[in-house]
């Protein structure tokens, strides 16, 4: 009887069958969609170092015929014959993939599968549906990989970029399009390189925008940019005003969130005119910066660093304190800490405090129990169970995620242990967030708990929550996080990872390194997470490690 695999399940081939001459069948279909189904033979670095082991419709077999493309069979869109004992020693992984030739998304596919048949008997089947994907145009279905012995893994990982993104991910090159006078491929055969598609909108997590087909230069941290070679004199170029950044593509996690200082009570906020320094009156000359103190000198007690002596906090430089009615000094001292103006559903009050206005949007908010520090108006709080997935988290980690449901007409202020809070707005896209870093989210978002198992991870597994739809997620971090693009060599500590793009593939990677708390007899072994994905995918890490 065939074993039913779920995404992420793995097994030794010898536990499935004693044979090595295997049939691999793939079923995938969708209304109006055409698919290219291929097999990549990868080396020990998971790269396509020998393009003769890229088996597809234009190259139906490998040199020694250990991998052969058989074509459509009964119940399968495409099929392969794999003879594992004939695969050369330089090939360590066989990755079976499906890509859409032309327009379309993997969310449009119907029920499909990848299965293995040995000796005429089906031994394993991994079934999938379009509900598991969103905007992806390619998917890695399953892998045979060599780890002491041959093993099989159900992958089910999507890519937004299609076949060309898969080729680049595996170190291959996309062939240039032939000239029009070249002979066209035979009718009915799908084209090798799909036409370029419009890039999907970047997630609203500060992710790097999808790059053009040309490889982007590696980022340099603090290194001066190399000047280009001298060229012929050019007419002077004047800088053009930068186009406004899209609302949902601006990085939201590159710096602490600090609200602007509110306007005086009863007056609308004033916008500085062109060329005017915010907080400076028209015609006012900026005061000179205070002279630095002597070496080792500390500011006097009660004086804010960089503040002129005798200056009241929040008062414009150059003005002496006014001895007005009693209480004026207190009002000036409290002015910088007043509540931020309303106008949006989620508003950060400072780096550690977030306010949600339930009157806007007309939908409930789910937040961690105990995260409410203040509320105004008529607000109802009720217990919200995390469901079966939440009980799994609780049983495995001992820390079940307890949620409360906030409804009504009023404002709720949320915080937890002074953590930095960040509002992540989703507009139809998806993101994965470590369950420990979720503080609150709109109930309108679709969410599910996923488990990444691994020996060495605290609790035996890493639990993540995937959010998708339209709404806002409040993420908490230890310190100011950083957003990094996903490359083939991106690794992150399981304690430091905060979130990543939903289209990224997560792989457990055990490495040995000397930890700060290593002691005699301690192996120093830790479990890292490796991330892989097409250009445009990202991860978010925090400056924190247990």
């Amino acid at each position: 009887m065939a074993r039913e695999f779920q995404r992420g399940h793995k097994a030794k081939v010898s536990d499935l069958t004693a044979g090595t001459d295997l049939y691999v069948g793939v079923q995938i279909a969708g209304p109006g969609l055409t698919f290219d189904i291929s097999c990549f033979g990868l080396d020990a670095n998971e790269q396509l170092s020998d393009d003769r082991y890229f088996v597809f419709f234009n190259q139906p077999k490998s040199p020694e015929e250990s991998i052969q493309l058989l074509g459509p069979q009964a119940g399968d869109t495409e099929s392969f014959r794999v003879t594992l004992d004939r695969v050369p020693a330089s090939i360590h992984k066989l990755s079976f993939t499906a890509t859409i030739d032309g327009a379309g998304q993997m969310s449009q596919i119907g029920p499909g599968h990848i299965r293995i048949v040995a000796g005429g008997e089906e031994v394993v089947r991994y079934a999938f549906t379009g509900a598991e994907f969103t905007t992806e145009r390619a998917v890695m279905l399953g892998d045979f990989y060599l780890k002491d012995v041959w093993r099989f893994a159900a992958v089910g990982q999507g890519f937004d970029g299609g076949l060309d993104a898969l080729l680049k991910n595996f170190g291959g090159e996309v062939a240039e399009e032939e000239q029009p006078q070249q002979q066209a491929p035979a009718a009915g055969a799908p084209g090798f390189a799909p036409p370029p598609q419009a890039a999907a909108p970047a997630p609203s997590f500060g992710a790097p925008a999808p790059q053009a087909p040309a490889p982007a230069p590696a980022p340099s941290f603090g290194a001066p940019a190399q000047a280009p070679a001298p060229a012929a004199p050019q007419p002077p170029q004047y800088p053009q005003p930068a186009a406004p950044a899209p609302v949902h593509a601006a990085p939201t996690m590159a710096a602490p969130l600090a609200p602007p200082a509110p306007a005086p009570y009863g007056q609308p906020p004033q916008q500085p005119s062109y060329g005017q320094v915010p907080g400076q009156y028209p015609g006012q000359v900026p005061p000179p910066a205070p002279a630095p103190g002597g070496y080792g000198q500390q500011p006097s007690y009660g004086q804010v660093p960089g503040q002129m002596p005798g200056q009241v906090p929040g008062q414009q430089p150059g003005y002496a304190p006014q001895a007005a009615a009693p209480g004026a000094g207190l009002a000036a001292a409290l002015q910088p800490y007043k509540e931020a103006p309303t106008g949006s559903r989620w508003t950060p009050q400072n780096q550690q405090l977030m306010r949600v206005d339930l009157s806007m949007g007309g939908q409930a908010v789910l937040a961690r129990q105990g995260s409410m520090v203040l509320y105004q108006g008529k607000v109802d709080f009720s217990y919200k169970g995390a469901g079966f997935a939440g009980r799994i988290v609780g049983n495995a980690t001992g820390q079940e995620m307890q949620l409360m449901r906030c409804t009504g007409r009023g404002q709720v202020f949320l915080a937890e242990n002074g953590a930095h809070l960040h509002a992540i707005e989703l507009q139809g896209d998806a993101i994965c967030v470590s369950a420990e870093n979720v503080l609150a989210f709109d109930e309108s978002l679709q969410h599910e708990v996923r488990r990444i198992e691994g020996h060495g991870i605290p609790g035996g597994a890493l639990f993540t929550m995937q959010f998708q739809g339209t709404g806002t997620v409040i993420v908490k971090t230890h310190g100011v996080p950083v957003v990094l693009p996903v490359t083939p060599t991106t690794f992150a500590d399981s304690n430091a990872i905060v979130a990543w793009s939903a289209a990224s593939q997560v792989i457990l990677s055990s490495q040995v390194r000397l930890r700060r708390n290593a002691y005699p007899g301690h192996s120093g072994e830790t479990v890292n997470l490796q991330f892989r994905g097409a250009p445009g995918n990202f991860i978010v890490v925090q400056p924190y490690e247990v």
Side-chain angles (χ1 to χ4, degrees):
M1 183 177 179
R3 291 178 57 179
E4 296 289 341
F5 272 25
Q6 302 295 326
R7 177 189 294 183
H9 282 190
K10 304 174 183 178
K12 296 179 180 179
V13 174
S14 58
D15 293 341
L16 303 174
T17 176
T20 58
D21 192 353
L22 307 176
Y23 169 93
V24 179
V26 175
Q27 167 63 35
I28 185 169
L33 300 180
T34 303
F35 295 89
D36 296 333
I37 302 174
S38 314
C39 176
F40 290 82
L42 309 176
D43 59 19
N45 296 320
E46 299 188 2
Q47 296 293 296
L48 184 65
S49 55
D50 189 341
D51 56 9
R52 297 177 302 169
Y53 289 89
F54 175 34
V55 177
F56 65 114
F57 56 87
N58 272 348
Q59 186 168 263
K61 59 184 179 180
S62 60
E64 71 293 322
E65 299 186 357
S66 62
I67 313 168
Q68 302 179 42
L69 186 68
L70 303 179
Q73 303 291 331
D76 295 323
T77 309
E78 189 61 272
S79 61
F80 300 81
R81 180 185 180 185
V82 177
T83 312
L84 292 177
D85 55 0
R86 297 179 60 186
V87 175
S90 60
I91 302 300
H92 287 242
K93 176 180 284 190
L94 304 178
S95 181
F96 295 89
T97 67
T99 58
I100 297 177
D101 181 16
Q105 299 176 352
M106 285 296 174
S107 58
Q108 301 172 247
I109 66 174
H113 65 252
I114 179 172
R115 62 182 184 134
I116 301 175
V117 178
E121 179 183 357
E122 182 175 314
V123 295
V124 68
R125 174 186 290 253
Y126 162 48
F128 53 85
T129 65
E132 302 178 27
F133 309 104
T134 53
T135 60
E136 297 93 333
R137 298 184 57 247
V139 60
M140 294 189 297
L141 300 172
D143 294 342
F144 286 104
Y145 64 100
L146 188 60
K147 186 178 180 182
D148 300 329
V149 295
W150 281 104
R151 306 165 187 256
F152 177 76
V155 180
Q157 177 61 47
F159 279 77
D160 284 341
L163 182 59
D164 52 350
L166 278 177
L167 281 169
K168 292 179 180 178
N169 180 70
F170 291 138
E173 297 181 356
V174 181
E176 297 294 336
E177 187 177 356
E178 299 292 341
Q179 297 298 327
Q181 61 268 21
Q182 296 293 331
Q183 182 178 358
F192 172 72
Q197 301 293 321
S204 61
F205 213 102
Q211 302 295 325
S220 58
F221 301 96
Q226 298 294 333
Q234 299 292 334
Q237 301 292 331
Y238 296 97
Q240 299 295 330
V247 175
H248 305 295
T252 59
M253 304 210 40
L257 300 172
Y265 182 77
Q267 298 184 13
Q270 299 291 334
Q271 298 293 335
S273 59
Y274 180 78
Q276 177 184 348
V277 178
Q280 176 182 319
Y281 292 101
Q284 175 187 347
V285 178
Y295 179 77
Q297 180 179 351
Q298 301 294 330
S300 60
Y301 178 76
Q303 178 183 348
V304 180
Q307 176 182 313
M308 300 293 291
Q311 177 186 343
V312 177
Q315 185 183 43
Q316 299 295 333
Y319 289 87
Q322 299 181 3
L330 178 61
L334 297 179
Q335 178 68 25
Y337 309 105
K338 282 191 174 181
E339 180 182 1
T342 60
S344 58
R345 178 172 169 84
W346 295 90
T347 306
Q349 303 300 299
N350 52 47
Q351 296 180 15
Q352 294 90 13
L353 187 63
M354 184 72 62
R355 183 192 65 209
V356 55
D357 191 342
L358 299 175
S359 305
M360 304 182 64
Q363 57 184 341
V365 167
L366 300 180
R368 284 183 178 270
Q369 287 192 9
S371 62
M372 186 277 294
V373 298
L374 168 71
Y375 74 92
Q376 299 171 322
K378 183 175 178 56
V379 181
D380 295 327
F381 299 92
S382 59
Y383 172 75
K384 174 69 175 178
F388 178 73
R391 289 194 295 273
I392 294 178
V393 176
N395 293 337
T397 66
Q399 298 177 353
E400 180 177 352
M401 187 175 181
Q402 304 286 343
L403 298 176
M404 61 181 179
R405 189 170 185 264
C406 310
T407 57
R409 299 186 63 83
Q411 299 83 37
V412 181
F413 294 73
L414 303 171
E416 186 173 278
N417 297 330
H420 287 218
L421 305 182
H422 314 271
I424 311 305
E425 186 176 356
L426 301 180
Q427 292 239 336
D429 38 10
I431 191 171
C432 293
V433 184
S434 173
E436 288 295 324
N437 296 91
V438 177
L439 180 70
F441 54 92
D442 287 326
E443 192 178 36
S444 59
L445 288 172
Q446 302 175 13
H447 58 280
E448 62 174 323
V449 179
R450 294 188 174 183
R451 175 189 178 104
I452 301 176
E453 298 182 357
H455 174 71
I457 296 181
L462 174 67
F463 294 91
T464 67
M465 296 188 68
Q466 177 171 317
F467 296 93
Q468 184 175 0
T470 301
T472 301
V473 183
I474 305 302
V475 177
K476 59 188 182 76
T477 63
H478 295 269
V480 181
V482 63
V483 179
L484 298 171
V486 171
T487 68
T489 57
T490 298
F491 297 83
D493 190 286
S494 59
N495 293 311
I497 190 68
V498 174
W500 58 89
S501 51
S504 299
Q505 182 186 11
V506 185
I507 303 173
L508 289 174
S509 174
S510 297
Q511 295 182 350
V512 178
R513 63 182 175 89
L514 184 64
R515 296 179 61 91
R516 295 191 298 269
N517 59 348
Y519 54 85
H522 185 268
S523 65
E525 182 176 349
T526 184
V527 176
N528 292 332
L529 300 178
Q530 180 183 8
F531 293 85
R532 297 190 305 183
N537 287 284
F538 63 92
I539 64 170
V540 182
V541 294
Q542 60 188 353
Y544 174 79
E545 182 177 297
V546 176

